[in-house]
Each structure stands twice: as structure tokens, then as C-alpha cells.
Amino acid sequence: MSWFQEAAGGPAPPIYRDPPEKRKMKDPAIPGRMVTDKSANRPFLAYKEYREKQETLHAAWVERNKEREAKIARGEEVGPPESDPTAQKEVGILGLLKFFLYLALVIALSGKFFTGSYTWEYESKWMQLKTYWPTNQRLFSERLLAEHDGSVPGRPIYLAIDGDVYDVSKGAAYQPGGSYAILAGVDAARAFGTGCFKTHRTYDLRGLTERELNSVNHWKSFYAEHKDYVKIGRVSHPPIDPASPIPEHCDPKKEAAAQAARRATKGEKNVGHDHKEL
């Protein structure tokens, strides 16, 4: 309220002056100005002191370099060149690796503290070491694969799709009596495309439409990315005789459409062959 007293004719408030015991220092931003060593000014003053120290170190390094060059000019022996002590050091690949390592460690410890899990309760096959370091990859025969169809208690249940074998023992649907138990112990890649799970328990993919092939690829990705199903190897199949009949579709309408498409494709090939002969 001092301004009100002054406007009313009262005495003017005294001008504020820094206490004499406070140390005065040069303002690092404005030449010729003095500032007090109060807490608000200390960061700027500390930075100024740091810059002055850096400049002094750099100037001394320049002088040492000049002396070294003079010795070289006189033919005297000198040691290895000295790096600038004030130069900013690059992080480099090793520094980045350390940073990401510390970051991952902090995230894992935070997850353990807040959720009780180092992975923040995130469950995925990509969080399992065996995904990146498989130790049980093997080559199966069709007979050996068939022995893991769930009919023997305690034996793991395997499934194959387009040659890739997966351990699906954790899936309830593949247990005896489960909805997909018919797919266990066999490579039924064709069934994943057509949906004919009873009649297309075969790896023969001939004659499938583009949509059916996309369905097979979708299921291949499903098993490859599933957190509970682990790829354990490949199954060796005998080659398919090109002259053997293509398995019929379980849906008569789709089978008729498939045969028509195959006849059209065969006709196009014959026409192309005739054109080449001409």
C-alpha cells in the first residue's frame, strides 16, 4: 500500500538497496553491471564460472599445441597429440548401447515394483528366450509327427502347417475331445485354407484360390506369433505327384467353382501354347 500512501501525500517508501554484506559479482550477460550472489543468480553465475574455466583450459591447450608444432618444426621428438579437454565427446555406439541397457533395466525394475512382473505383466513369445535361442529344432517324419496327436497321456501335442511344426500342448482346443484335436499330429495346411477339417488333413495346397491361400498364410502367422505355441522344427513330406487328383472341396458349390476355375486356367495355358507354336 506504499503507492497509495505516496499518492495521498504521505512519505515515500525507502528505496531498496542490497545489504552491504552481500557479495557483488559481474553480470555474465550485461557488461559493466554488478549483481548480488543471491540464490536466483547462482545458476547463471555458476555457468559463467564454468565457461571461464573452459576458456582457460582451451587457451592452455592451444598454447601446448603451438609448442608441440614448434618442436616438430625443429625436428625434436614429441609425444602423441593431445585432445582438446573442452571438446564435447560424442556418445558413440557403445554409449547408445549403455543408454538402452540402463533404460531397459529401469523399465524392468519399475515393472517389478508396480506390477510384480519385470515385463509389466506383458506375456508374449517375444519375451521368451527360447524364441531367439531355439534349442529343440528338429526334423520330423510324418510317422513321428503322428505319434504326438494327443492320444498318449503325458506326451506333448504337435501340429504342423505347411511344414512348420509347433508344440500346441498348452492349447485346450488340441487336447483329446477339443474342437481342433483333429488337427493334431498332422500337417493339415489345406484344411486351414478350405475349412474342410475332416477331409483336407493334408499338406497338398494345389488348386487353392487366392483367398484360401491367404487364409493359410494367416494361420501360419497366428502360430508363429502366438505366445504359447513354439516352433520346434519341420516335417519332411514326400513329394506330391503332379498327376494325382486334387482333393475335392467338402462344399459341392465351392468344388464346382474350383473345377471351373481350373478348367479356365488350363484353357488359357493351352491357348498360350498354341500361340507359341504359331
Side-chain angles (χ1 to χ4, degrees):
M1 299 295 289
S2 59
W3 61 271
F4 182 76
Q5 293 178 357
E6 185 177 359
I15 299 175
Y16 174 79
R17 300 183 185 277
D18 292 325
E21 63 273 8
K22 286 192 175 181
R23 186 163 58 98
K24 294 278 188 174
M25 301 184 67
K26 291 182 179 180
D27 191 331
I30 303 176
R33 181 185 177 188
M34 303 297 291
V35 294
T36 58
D37 186 19
K38 59 183 180 180
S39 58
N41 294 335
R42 286 173 188 169
F44 304 99
L45 298 174
Y47 178 72
K48 177 179 179 296
E49 183 179 353
Y50 165 77
R51 290 300 306 167
E52 289 177 349
K53 182 178 179 181
Q54 292 293 97
E55 291 172 2
T56 302
L57 290 174
H58 180 72
W61 173 77
V62 171
E63 289 299 323
R64 289 193 298 272
N65 265 1
K66 289 180 179 179
E67 293 177 3
R68 183 175 181 276
E69 292 174 0
K71 288 181 179 180
I72 293 175
R74 293 194 298 266
E76 300 179 9
E77 293 185 2
V78 295
E82 179 185 355
S83 59
D84 186 353
T86 63
Q88 294 184 354
K89 297 181 180 180
E90 296 183 0
V91 175
I93 297 178
L94 183 59
L96 286 176
L97 291 177
K98 287 183 178 180
F99 169 75
F100 287 117
L101 178 61
Y102 293 147
L103 179 62
L105 183 61
V106 170
I107 293 175
L109 292 177
S110 300
K112 185 66 174 178
F113 177 78
F114 289 107
T115 67
S117 169
Y118 289 110
T119 60
W120 291 79
E121 297 183 349
Y122 175 71
E123 295 183 359
S124 170
K125 68 180 301 179
W126 306 114
M127 304 297 293
Q128 302 176 16
L129 181 60
K130 58 185 176 182
T131 302
Y132 307 97
W133 197 277
T135 57
N136 54 352
Q137 298 292 303
R138 61 174 299 179
L139 183 63
F140 288 82
S141 64
E142 291 184 339
R143 180 189 60 79
L144 182 59
L145 178 63
E147 294 178 359
H148 294 80
D149 60 353
S151 59
V152 179
R155 182 178 294 175
I157 301 175
Y158 297 159
L159 167 152
I161 177 171
D162 198 21
D164 294 330
V165 181
Y166 291 90
D167 186 340
V168 295
S169 303
K170 293 184 178 180
Y174 305 99
Q175 305 297 325
S179 55
Y180 291 125
I182 196 171
L183 300 176
V186 68
D187 187 343
R190 189 178 189 88
F192 286 99
T194 62
C196 301
F197 295 109
K198 293 184 178 180
T199 59
H200 282 180
R201 298 176 72 245
T202 175
Y203 58 94
D204 188 353
L205 299 180
R206 293 177 302 159
L208 293 186
T209 65
E210 182 178 357
R211 183 176 181 179
E212 290 170 340
L213 289 174
N214 289 337
S215 178
V216 174
N217 290 329
H218 162 75
W219 283 105
K220 288 174 66 175
S221 299
F222 169 80
Y223 287 106
E225 298 173 2
H226 200 283
K227 67 181 181 66
D228 292 330
Y229 306 148
V230 182
K231 182 180 177 182
I232 57 173
R234 296 273 301 175
V235 58
S236 177
H237 294 301
I240 298 174
D241 183 2
S244 62
I246 296 176
E248 294 186 3
H249 202 287
C250 56
D251 186 338
K253 293 182 179 179
K254 290 185 178 181
E255 174 60 23
Q259 290 184 3
R262 286 196 288 270
R263 286 195 297 268
T265 302
K266 186 175 181 181
E268 291 177 358
K269 289 182 178 180
N270 291 336
V271 171
H273 180 69
D274 294 342
H275 284 171
K276 287 182 180 180
E277 291 182 348
L278 293 175

